[in-house]
Amino acid sequence: MSYTRDEIASQPDCWERVLEELPAHTPALPAPGERVAVIGCGTSLFMAQAYAQLREDAGLGLTDAFPASEARLHRAYDRVLALTRSGTTTEILTAFEQVPATTRISVVTAVADSPAATAAHDVICLDYADERSVVQTRFPTTQLLLLRAHLGLDTDRARTDVTTALTTELEPELLAAEQITFIGTGWSTGLAAEAALKVREAAAWWTESYSAMEYRHGPVAVAAPGRVVWPLSPLPETLADQVRATGAHLRVPGLDPLAELVVAQRLAVELATAAGRDPDRPAHLTRSVILG
């Protein structure tokens, strides 16, 4: 058993705990009407993108998501929300230097005494969702479930579907695929990017991700027999038909997008194991990117 496999399996417990803690975390999270910039790197960026879409769709205020290295934090934001498991990533700490003194900084992290936490006004520490694996699985999903619940959005389906996500048999076409394209719509576009990253990180597999309507504009040319197209939320039927016509295997999503991501996490581990790779410690990767 790898750490990654165990951490994937622990997600239902992490999700339940973070929802119990929501009242305690609420003061550290953006209030309705605040202008918010959300920053992150890698996995955390994709969670930031999903949250930003959800918050704006809920009508709770302007919400921009930036890679920490490209953040424009000099703008008139009321709050910067930084998502960082380790709290040590150089780009996050450098981005904080741009934040005006009048802008509040909130951090969601797994390490309470990290440099990012020390620099913030408000800290949410999800240390029980931290991971020994370099590859992030339970920390980002626990974080995003908290953020969804704070927006007043229902999380019941995600919590029910995650059990199915952990027990459902992986389709043979997924295990045999030479290439996988993940597709999202709305907030699940960020999750599609994260699903593609998980399989690339753990298994060094050829994966891509796109928003559903952008997929038509060129990327669909990659679809072919022996390859997979995996939407994390239902596709327009015309696009589904277009994918089927390529001969690629189309996975039909039946779960909440966050639970679909959990299935992709499981696939990443299985593909890595089959390829003789260590899913806990992928080549060339570290837990945190710290620049000299």
Side-chain angles (χ1 to χ4, degrees):
M1 294 290 286
S2 70
Y3 293 136
T4 309
R5 197 186 302 271
D6 290 343
E7 287 157 2
I8 290 170
S10 71
Q11 286 174 103
D13 290 340
C14 291
W15 291 11
E16 292 303 319
R17 177 166 174 176
V18 83
L19 292 179
E20 292 172 1
E21 294 176 350
L22 175 58
H25 294 320
T26 294
L29 291 170
E34 285 187 339
R35 294 170 58 90
V36 177
V38 196
I39 62 173
C41 302
T43 288
S44 294
L45 169 62
F46 302 140
M47 297 301 104
Q49 291 170 341
Y51 169 67
Q53 182 81 47
L54 285 168
R55 188 170 187 267
E56 289 206 347
D57 287 350
L60 294 175
L62 182 147
T63 316
D64 294 324
F66 295 108
S69 58
E70 303 290 340
R72 297 171 180 257
L73 303 183
H74 59 281
R75 295 176 176 172
Y77 293 111
D78 300 304
R79 186 183 302 266
V80 171
L81 175 62
L83 310 181
T84 169
R85 176 178 65 172
S86 70
T88 60
T89 305
T90 298
E91 294 100 312
I92 293 285
L93 301 175
T94 300
F96 284 175
E97 297 173 5
Q98 302 178 44
V99 180
T102 55
T103 301
R104 198 160 188 89
I105 298 175
S106 293
V107 166
V108 183
T109 184
V111 184
D113 60 353
S114 63
T118 301
H121 299 99
D122 302 297
V123 178
I124 295 174
C125 180
L126 308 179
D127 52 2
Y128 54 87
D130 201 356
E131 294 133 337
R132 298 183 68 175
S133 174
V134 168
V135 175
Q136 295 193 50
T137 54
R138 68 184 180 188
F139 181 76
T141 64
T142 300
Q143 173 181 247
L144 187 57
L145 195 79
L146 170 68
L147 295 172
R148 285 174 69 179
H150 177 252
L151 296 175
L153 302 176
D154 182 68
T155 61
D156 288 348
R157 183 184 173 202
R159 293 155 64 198
T160 298
D161 286 356
V162 71
T163 301
T164 302
L166 290 170
T167 57
T168 189
E169 185 175 349
L170 295 173
E171 299 163 59
E173 293 88 349
L174 302 181
L175 295 167
E178 66 172 1
Q179 187 274 340
I180 306 172
T181 298
F182 293 92
I183 296 178
T185 55
W187 72 280
S188 71
T189 302
L191 298 189
E194 169 61 5
L197 178 63
K198 282 291 85 70
V199 179
R200 280 198 301 272
E201 284 180 324
W205 226 255
W206 173 17
T207 62
E208 301 179 5
S209 69
Y210 302 94
S211 64
M213 299 310 291
E214 283 301 306
Y215 180 65
R216 301 172 187 261
H217 294 274
V220 66
V222 171
R227 299 175 182 175
V228 166
V229 177
W230 186 341
L232 272 73
S233 52
L235 293 181
E237 194 56 36
T238 54
L239 178 53
D241 288 343
Q242 187 176 1
V243 170
R244 293 187 185 100
T246 70
H249 174 69
L250 177 65
R251 174 176 165 87
V252 178
L255 306 174
D256 178 272
L258 200 58
E260 283 285 330
L261 174 58
V262 173
V263 181
Q265 294 172 348
R266 290 180 55 218
L267 177 65
V269 172
E270 294 304 321
L271 292 176
T273 302
R277 298 176 63 88
D278 183 352
D280 298 337
R281 302 175 188 83
H284 316 302
L285 298 182
T286 58
R287 173 178 165 87
S288 173
V289 176
I290 301 175
L291 305 177

Short mmCIF file of all heavy atoms in Angstrom, two decimals, residues 38-95:
data_model
loop_
_atom_site.label_atom_id
_atom_site.label_comp_id
_atom_site.label_asym_id
_atom_site.label_seq_id
_atom_site.Cartn_x
_atom_site.Cartn_y
_atom_site.Cartn_z
N VAL A 38 -7.81 34.89 -5.32
CA VAL A 38 -7.40 33.59 -4.80
C VAL A 38 -6.15 33.17 -5.54
O VAL A 38 -6.11 33.21 -6.78
CB VAL A 38 -8.50 32.52 -5.00
CG1 VAL A 38 -8.24 31.31 -4.12
CG2 VAL A 38 -9.87 33.10 -4.71
N ILE A 39 -5.11 32.77 -4.79
CA ILE A 39 -3.85 32.41 -5.44
C ILE A 39 -3.41 31.01 -5.01
O ILE A 39 -3.76 30.53 -3.93
CB ILE A 39 -2.73 33.42 -5.12
CG1 ILE A 39 -2.42 33.49 -3.62
CG2 ILE A 39 -3.11 34.80 -5.66
CD1 ILE A 39 -1.21 34.35 -3.28
N GLY A 40 -2.68 30.36 -5.89
CA GLY A 40 -2.15 29.04 -5.60
C GLY A 40 -1.18 28.65 -6.70
O GLY A 40 -1.00 29.36 -7.69
N CYS A 41 -0.55 27.51 -6.52
CA CYS A 41 0.38 26.96 -7.51
C CYS A 41 0.02 25.50 -7.75
O CYS A 41 -0.30 24.77 -6.80
CB CYS A 41 1.82 27.04 -7.01
SG CYS A 41 2.41 28.69 -6.60
N GLY A 42 0.09 25.06 -8.99
CA GLY A 42 -0.20 23.67 -9.29
C GLY A 42 -1.60 23.28 -8.87
O GLY A 42 -2.59 23.93 -9.23
N THR A 43 -1.70 22.22 -8.08
CA THR A 43 -3.00 21.75 -7.59
C THR A 43 -3.78 22.86 -6.93
O THR A 43 -5.00 23.01 -7.14
CB THR A 43 -2.78 20.59 -6.60
OG1 THR A 43 -2.35 19.43 -7.33
CG2 THR A 43 -4.06 20.25 -5.85
N SER A 44 -3.12 23.67 -6.10
CA SER A 44 -3.81 24.75 -5.39
C SER A 44 -4.38 25.79 -6.35
O SER A 44 -5.43 26.37 -6.08
CB SER A 44 -2.87 25.41 -4.38
OG SER A 44 -2.51 24.50 -3.37
N LEU A 45 -3.70 26.03 -7.46
CA LEU A 45 -4.24 26.94 -8.46
C LEU A 45 -5.54 26.40 -9.03
O LEU A 45 -6.52 27.15 -9.20
CB LEU A 45 -3.23 27.15 -9.59
CG LEU A 45 -3.77 27.88 -10.82
CD1 LEU A 45 -4.23 29.30 -10.48
CD2 LEU A 45 -2.72 27.90 -11.93
N PHE A 46 -5.59 25.11 -9.31
CA PHE A 46 -6.80 24.54 -9.90
C PHE A 46 -7.97 24.58 -8.92
O PHE A 46 -9.12 24.79 -9.31
CB PHE A 46 -6.53 23.12 -10.40
CG PHE A 46 -5.42 23.05 -11.41
CD1 PHE A 46 -4.50 22.01 -11.39
CD2 PHE A 46 -5.27 24.04 -12.37
CE1 PHE A 46 -3.48 21.96 -12.32
CE2 PHE A 46 -4.25 24.00 -13.31
CZ PHE A 46 -3.34 22.95 -13.28
N MET A 47 -7.68 24.39 -7.64
CA MET A 47 -8.73 24.54 -6.62
C MET A 47 -9.17 26.00 -6.54
O MET A 47 -10.36 26.30 -6.37
CB MET A 47 -8.23 24.08 -5.26
CG MET A 47 -7.86 22.61 -5.18
SD MET A 47 -9.20 21.46 -5.59
CE MET A 47 -8.68 20.96 -7.25
N ALA A 48 -8.24 26.93 -6.68
CA ALA A 48 -8.56 28.36 -6.67
C ALA A 48 -9.49 28.70 -7.83
O ALA A 48 -10.45 29.45 -7.68
CB ALA A 48 -7.28 29.18 -6.74
N GLN A 49 -9.20 28.13 -9.00
CA GLN A 49 -10.04 28.41 -10.17
C GLN A 49 -11.45 27.88 -9.98
O GLN A 49 -12.44 28.55 -10.33
CB GLN A 49 -9.39 27.79 -11.41
CG GLN A 49 -8.10 28.47 -11.83
CD GLN A 49 -7.34 27.72 -12.90
OE1 GLN A 49 -7.56 26.52 -13.11
NE2 GLN A 49 -6.44 28.40 -13.58
N ALA A 50 -11.56 26.67 -9.41
CA ALA A 50 -12.89 26.10 -9.17
C ALA A 50 -13.67 26.95 -8.18
O ALA A 50 -14.85 27.26 -8.38
CB ALA A 50 -12.75 24.67 -8.66
N TYR A 51 -13.01 27.35 -7.10
CA TYR A 51 -13.67 28.17 -6.07
C TYR A 51 -14.09 29.52 -6.63
O TYR A 51 -15.20 30.00 -6.35
CB TYR A 51 -12.73 28.34 -4.88
CG TYR A 51 -13.21 29.38 -3.89
CD1 TYR A 51 -14.36 29.18 -3.13
CD2 TYR A 51 -12.50 30.57 -3.69
CE1 TYR A 51 -14.80 30.14 -2.21
CE2 TYR A 51 -12.93 31.52 -2.79
CZ TYR A 51 -14.07 31.31 -2.05
OH TYR A 51 -14.50 32.26 -1.15
N ALA A 52 -13.23 30.15 -7.39
CA ALA A 52 -13.55 31.47 -7.94
C ALA A 52 -14.82 31.40 -8.80
O ALA A 52 -15.70 32.27 -8.73
CB ALA A 52 -12.38 32.01 -8.75
N GLN A 53 -14.91 30.35 -9.62
CA GLN A 53 -16.10 30.19 -10.47
C GLN A 53 -17.35 29.97 -9.60
O GLN A 53 -18.40 30.57 -9.85
CB GLN A 53 -15.91 28.99 -11.40
CG GLN A 53 -17.05 28.73 -12.36
CD GLN A 53 -17.03 29.63 -13.57
OE1 GLN A 53 -15.99 29.80 -14.19
NE2 GLN A 53 -18.17 30.21 -13.91
N LEU A 54 -17.23 29.12 -8.60
CA LEU A 54 -18.37 28.85 -7.72
C LEU A 54 -18.82 30.11 -6.99
O LEU A 54 -20.03 30.37 -6.87
CB LEU A 54 -18.00 27.77 -6.70
CG LEU A 54 -17.92 26.34 -7.21
CD1 LEU A 54 -17.27 25.45 -6.17
CD2 LEU A 54 -19.31 25.81 -7.57
N ARG A 55 -17.88 30.88 -6.50
CA ARG A 55 -18.24 32.07 -5.71
C ARG A 55 -18.93 33.12 -6.58
O ARG A 55 -19.92 33.73 -6.17
CB ARG A 55 -17.00 32.67 -5.04
CG ARG A 55 -17.32 33.80 -4.05
CD ARG A 55 -16.10 34.20 -3.24
NE ARG A 55 -16.45 35.17 -2.21
CZ ARG A 55 -16.38 36.49 -2.34
NH1 ARG A 55 -15.95 37.02 -3.49
NH2 ARG A 55 -16.74 37.29 -1.35
N GLU A 56 -18.41 33.33 -7.78
CA GLU A 56 -19.06 34.29 -8.66
C GLU A 56 -20.42 33.79 -9.12
O GLU A 56 -21.38 34.55 -9.20
CB GLU A 56 -18.16 34.62 -9.84
CG GLU A 56 -16.95 35.46 -9.45
CD GLU A 56 -16.41 36.30 -10.59
OE1 GLU A 56 -16.81 36.08 -11.75
OE2 GLU A 56 -15.60 37.21 -10.31
N ASP A 57 -20.51 32.51 -9.43
CA ASP A 57 -21.80 31.94 -9.83
C ASP A 57 -22.84 32.07 -8.73
O ASP A 57 -24.04 32.20 -9.00
CB ASP A 57 -21.64 30.46 -10.21
CG ASP A 57 -20.94 30.25 -11.54
OD1 ASP A 57 -20.74 31.24 -12.27
OD2 ASP A 57 -20.56 29.10 -11.83
N ALA A 58 -22.38 32.04 -7.48
CA ALA A 58 -23.30 32.18 -6.34
C ALA A 58 -23.66 33.63 -6.06
O ALA A 58 -24.47 33.91 -5.16
CB ALA A 58 -22.66 31.56 -5.09
N GLY A 59 -23.07 34.56 -6.83
CA GLY A 59 -23.39 35.97 -6.67
C GLY A 59 -22.83 36.59 -5.40
O GLY A 59 -23.38 37.57 -4.89
N LEU A 60 -21.69 36.06 -4.91
CA LEU A 60 -21.16 36.51 -3.63
C LEU A 60 -20.03 37.52 -3.76
O LEU A 60 -19.47 37.95 -2.74
CB LEU A 60 -20.71 35.31 -2.80
CG LEU A 60 -21.86 34.39 -2.38
CD1 LEU A 60 -21.33 33.16 -1.67
CD2 LEU A 60 -22.84 35.14 -1.48
N GLY A 61 -19.69 37.89 -4.99
CA GLY A 61 -18.69 38.94 -5.15
C GLY A 61 -17.64 38.59 -6.19
O GLY A 61 -17.43 37.42 -6.52
N LEU A 62 -16.99 39.61 -6.72
CA LEU A 62 -15.92 39.43 -7.69
C LEU A 62 -14.83 38.54 -7.10
O LEU A 62 -14.37 38.77 -5.98
CB LEU A 62 -15.33 40.79 -8.07
CG LEU A 62 -14.22 40.80 -9.12
CD1 LEU A 62 -14.29 42.06 -9.96
CD2 LEU A 62 -12.84 40.68 -8.49
N THR A 63 -14.44 37.53 -7.86
CA THR A 63 -13.43 36.58 -7.38
C THR A 63 -12.51 36.21 -8.54
O THR A 63 -12.95 35.58 -9.50
CB THR A 63 -14.09 35.29 -6.83
OG1 THR A 63 -15.20 35.64 -6.00
CG2 THR A 63 -13.09 34.49 -6.02
N ASP A 64 -11.26 36.62 -8.44
CA ASP A 64 -10.26 36.31 -9.46
C ASP A 64 -9.33 35.23 -8.94
O ASP A 64 -8.94 35.24 -7.77
CB ASP A 64 -9.42 37.54 -9.81
CG ASP A 64 -10.24 38.63 -10.48
OD1 ASP A 64 -11.15 38.29 -11.26
OD2 ASP A 64 -9.96 39.82 -10.24
N ALA A 65 -8.94 34.30 -9.82
CA ALA A 65 -7.98 33.27 -9.46
C ALA A 65 -6.71 33.49 -10.28
O ALA A 65 -6.78 33.69 -11.49
CB ALA A 65 -8.54 31.88 -9.73
N PHE A 66 -5.56 33.45 -9.60
CA PHE A 66 -4.28 33.69 -10.26
C PHE A 66 -3.27 32.62 -9.87
O PHE A 66 -3.24 32.19 -8.70
CB PHE A 66 -3.67 35.03 -9.81
CG PHE A 66 -4.43 36.26 -10.19
CD1 PHE A 66 -5.11 36.98 -9.21
CD2 PHE A 66 -4.43 36.73 -11.49
CE1 PHE A 66 -5.78 38.14 -9.54
CE2 PHE A 66 -5.11 37.89 -11.82
CZ PHE A 66 -5.79 38.61 -10.85
N PRO A 67 -2.39 32.23 -10.82
CA PRO A 67 -1.17 31.56 -10.37
C PRO A 67 -0.41 32.54 -9.48
O PRO A 67 -0.33 33.73 -9.80
CB PRO A 67 -0.39 31.29 -11.67
CG PRO A 67 -1.37 31.54 -12.78
CD PRO A 67 -2.40 32.48 -12.27
N ALA A 68 0.13 32.08 -8.39
CA ALA A 68 0.80 33.00 -7.46
C ALA A 68 1.90 33.78 -8.16
O ALA A 68 2.13 34.96 -7.85
CB ALA A 68 1.36 32.23 -6.27
N SER A 69 2.56 33.16 -9.11
CA SER A 69 3.66 33.82 -9.81
C SER A 69 3.19 34.91 -10.76
O SER A 69 3.99 35.73 -11.22
CB SER A 69 4.48 32.80 -10.59
OG SER A 69 3.66 32.10 -11.52
N GLU A 70 1.90 34.93 -11.09
CA GLU A 70 1.35 35.90 -12.04
C GLU A 70 0.27 36.77 -11.40
O GLU A 70 -0.47 37.47 -12.10
CB GLU A 70 0.75 35.18 -13.25
CG GLU A 70 1.71 34.26 -13.99
CD GLU A 70 2.77 35.02 -14.75
OE1 GLU A 70 2.55 36.22 -15.03
OE2 GLU A 70 3.81 34.42 -15.08
N ALA A 71 0.16 36.74 -10.09
CA ALA A 71 -0.94 37.43 -9.40
C ALA A 71 -0.80 38.94 -9.52
O ALA A 71 0.30 39.49 -9.44
CB ALA A 71 -0.96 37.02 -7.94
N ARG A 72 -1.95 39.60 -9.69
CA ARG A 72 -1.99 41.07 -9.77
C ARG A 72 -2.67 41.59 -8.50
O ARG A 72 -3.82 42.04 -8.52
CB ARG A 72 -2.75 41.49 -11.03
CG ARG A 72 -2.06 41.03 -12.31
CD ARG A 72 -2.91 41.24 -13.53
NE ARG A 72 -2.22 40.79 -14.73
CZ ARG A 72 -1.64 41.59 -15.62
NH1 ARG A 72 -1.67 42.90 -15.44
NH2 ARG A 72 -1.03 41.10 -16.68
N LEU A 73 -1.95 41.50 -7.42
CA LEU A 73 -2.54 41.76 -6.11
C LEU A 73 -2.50 43.23 -5.72
O LEU A 73 -2.98 43.59 -4.64
CB LEU A 73 -1.83 40.91 -5.05
CG LEU A 73 -1.86 39.40 -5.33
CD1 LEU A 73 -1.19 38.64 -4.20
CD2 LEU A 73 -3.28 38.89 -5.56
N HIS A 74 -1.98 44.07 -6.60
CA HIS A 74 -2.00 45.50 -6.33
C HIS A 74 -3.38 46.09 -6.60
O HIS A 74 -3.65 47.24 -6.25
CB HIS A 74 -0.99 46.22 -7.23
CG HIS A 74 -1.24 46.00 -8.69
ND1 HIS A 74 -0.87 44.85 -9.34
CD2 HIS A 74 -1.86 46.79 -9.62
CE1 HIS A 74 -1.24 44.94 -10.62
NE2 HIS A 74 -1.84 46.09 -10.82
N ARG A 75 -4.27 45.31 -7.22
CA ARG A 75 -5.61 45.79 -7.52
C ARG A 75 -6.43 45.94 -6.22
O ARG A 75 -6.01 45.49 -5.17
CB ARG A 75 -6.31 44.84 -8.49
CG ARG A 75 -5.64 44.79 -9.85
CD ARG A 75 -6.30 43.76 -10.75
NE ARG A 75 -5.73 43.78 -12.09
CZ ARG A 75 -6.00 42.90 -13.05
NH1 ARG A 75 -6.86 41.91 -12.80
NH2 ARG A 75 -5.44 43.00 -14.23
N ALA A 76 -7.60 46.53 -6.37
CA ALA A 76 -8.40 46.88 -5.18
C ALA A 76 -9.19 45.68 -4.67
O ALA A 76 -10.41 45.59 -4.82
CB ALA A 76 -9.35 48.03 -5.52
N TYR A 77 -8.49 44.74 -4.06
CA TYR A 77 -9.15 43.58 -3.44
C TYR A 77 -9.33 43.83 -1.95
O TYR A 77 -8.52 44.50 -1.31
CB TYR A 77 -8.31 42.31 -3.63
CG TYR A 77 -8.21 41.87 -5.06
CD1 TYR A 77 -7.01 41.95 -5.75
CD2 TYR A 77 -9.31 41.36 -5.73
CE1 TYR A 77 -6.90 41.54 -7.07
CE2 TYR A 77 -9.23 40.94 -7.05
CZ TYR A 77 -8.01 41.04 -7.72
OH TYR A 77 -7.93 40.63 -9.02
N ASP A 78 -10.40 43.27 -1.41
CA ASP A 78 -10.60 43.32 0.03
C ASP A 78 -9.83 42.21 0.74
O ASP A 78 -9.44 42.36 1.90
CB ASP A 78 -12.09 43.17 0.36
CG ASP A 78 -12.92 44.27 -0.27
OD1 ASP A 78 -12.62 45.44 -0.01
OD2 ASP A 78 -13.86 43.94 -1.02
N ARG A 79 -9.65 41.10 0.03
CA ARG A 79 -8.99 39.95 0.66
C ARG A 79 -8.23 39.14 -0.39
O ARG A 79 -8.69 38.98 -1.53
CB ARG A 79 -10.03 39.05 1.34
CG ARG A 79 -9.41 37.89 2.14
CD ARG A 79 -10.50 37.00 2.74
NE ARG A 79 -11.40 37.73 3.61
CZ ARG A 79 -11.24 37.82 4.93
NH1 ARG A 79 -10.21 37.23 5.52
NH2 ARG A 79 -12.11 38.48 5.66
N VAL A 80 -7.07 38.67 0.01
CA VAL A 80 -6.33 37.67 -0.77
C VAL A 80 -6.44 36.35 -0.03
O VAL A 80 -6.15 36.27 1.17
CB VAL A 80 -4.85 38.07 -0.93
CG1 VAL A 80 -4.05 36.91 -1.55
CG2 VAL A 80 -4.72 39.32 -1.79
N LEU A 81 -6.90 35.33 -0.74
CA LEU A 81 -7.02 33.99 -0.16
C LEU A 81 -5.96 33.11 -0.81
O LEU A 81 -5.99 32.89 -2.04
CB LEU A 81 -8.41 33.42 -0.42
CG LEU A 81 -8.67 31.98 0.02
CD1 LEU A 81 -8.51 31.83 1.53
CD2 LEU A 81 -10.07 31.52 -0.42
N ALA A 82 -5.00 32.65 -0.02
CA ALA A 82 -3.91 31.83 -0.54
C ALA A 82 -4.14 30.37 -0.15
O ALA A 82 -4.38 30.07 1.02
CB ALA A 82 -2.58 32.31 0.01
N LEU A 83 -4.05 29.49 -1.13
CA LEU A 83 -4.21 28.05 -0.90
C LEU A 83 -2.83 27.42 -1.06
O LEU A 83 -2.23 27.48 -2.13
CB LEU A 83 -5.19 27.45 -1.91
CG LEU A 83 -6.53 28.19 -2.07
CD1 LEU A 83 -7.42 27.46 -3.08
CD2 LEU A 83 -7.25 28.32 -0.73
N THR A 84 -2.30 26.83 0.01
CA THR A 84 -0.95 26.29 -0.02
C THR A 84 -0.79 25.21 1.02
O THR A 84 -0.83 25.48 2.23
CB THR A 84 0.10 27.41 0.19
OG1 THR A 84 1.39 26.81 0.41
CG2 THR A 84 -0.25 28.35 1.32
N ARG A 85 -0.62 23.97 0.57
CA ARG A 85 -0.51 22.86 1.51
C ARG A 85 0.67 23.06 2.46
O ARG A 85 0.52 22.99 3.67
CB ARG A 85 -0.36 21.54 0.77
CG ARG A 85 -0.14 20.34 1.69
CD ARG A 85 -0.03 19.02 0.92
NE ARG A 85 1.14 18.95 0.06
CZ ARG A 85 1.54 17.87 -0.58
NH1 ARG A 85 0.84 16.74 -0.46
NH2 ARG A 85 2.60 17.87 -1.36
N SER A 86 1.85 23.31 1.92
CA SER A 86 3.05 23.39 2.75
C SER A 86 3.24 24.75 3.41
O SER A 86 3.86 24.86 4.46
CB SER A 86 4.28 23.09 1.90
OG SER A 86 4.53 24.16 0.99
N GLY A 87 2.73 25.80 2.76
CA GLY A 87 2.95 27.14 3.27
C GLY A 87 4.36 27.65 3.08
O GLY A 87 4.74 28.68 3.65
N THR A 88 5.13 26.95 2.25
CA THR A 88 6.53 27.33 2.03
C THR A 88 6.84 27.71 0.59
O THR A 88 7.97 28.09 0.29
CB THR A 88 7.47 26.19 2.45
OG1 THR A 88 7.17 25.03 1.67
CG2 THR A 88 7.33 25.87 3.93
N THR A 89 5.88 27.60 -0.30
CA THR A 89 6.12 27.83 -1.72
C THR A 89 6.60 29.26 -1.98
O THR A 89 5.95 30.22 -1.56
CB THR A 89 4.85 27.55 -2.53
OG1 THR A 89 4.40 26.23 -2.24
CG2 THR A 89 5.09 27.69 -4.02
N THR A 90 7.70 29.38 -2.67
CA THR A 90 8.31 30.69 -2.89
C THR A 90 7.36 31.67 -3.56
O THR A 90 7.27 32.85 -3.17
CB THR A 90 9.58 30.54 -3.73
OG1 THR A 90 10.52 29.72 -3.02
CG2 THR A 90 10.22 31.90 -4.02
N GLU A 91 6.64 31.22 -4.58
CA GLU A 91 5.77 32.14 -5.33
C GLU A 91 4.66 32.72 -4.45
O GLU A 91 4.25 33.86 -4.64
CB GLU A 91 5.16 31.44 -6.54
CG GLU A 91 6.17 31.04 -7.61
CD GLU A 91 6.52 29.57 -7.52
OE1 GLU A 91 6.82 29.10 -6.39
OE2 GLU A 91 6.49 28.90 -8.57
N ILE A 92 4.15 31.93 -3.51
CA ILE A 92 3.13 32.43 -2.59
C ILE A 92 3.70 33.53 -1.71
O ILE A 92 3.11 34.62 -1.55
CB ILE A 92 2.59 31.29 -1.71
CG1 ILE A 92 1.82 30.26 -2.55
CG2 ILE A 92 1.71 31.84 -0.58
CD1 ILE A 92 0.45 30.69 -3.00
N LEU A 93 4.85 33.27 -1.14
CA LEU A 93 5.47 34.25 -0.23
C LEU A 93 5.86 35.52 -0.98
O LEU A 93 5.70 36.63 -0.45
CB LEU A 93 6.68 33.62 0.45
CG LEU A 93 6.39 32.37 1.28
CD1 LEU A 93 7.67 31.76 1.82
CD2 LEU A 93 5.41 32.69 2.41
N THR A 94 6.33 35.37 -2.21
CA THR A 94 6.68 36.55 -3.01
C THR A 94 5.43 37.35 -3.36
O THR A 94 5.44 38.59 -3.36
CB THR A 94 7.41 36.11 -4.29
OG1 THR A 94 8.60 35.40 -3.94
CG2 THR A 94 7.78 37.31 -5.15
N ALA A 95 4.32 36.64 -3.67
CA ALA A 95 3.07 37.33 -4.00
C ALA A 95 2.58 38.17 -2.84
O ALA A 95 2.02 39.26 -3.04
CB ALA A 95 2.01 36.31 -4.41
#
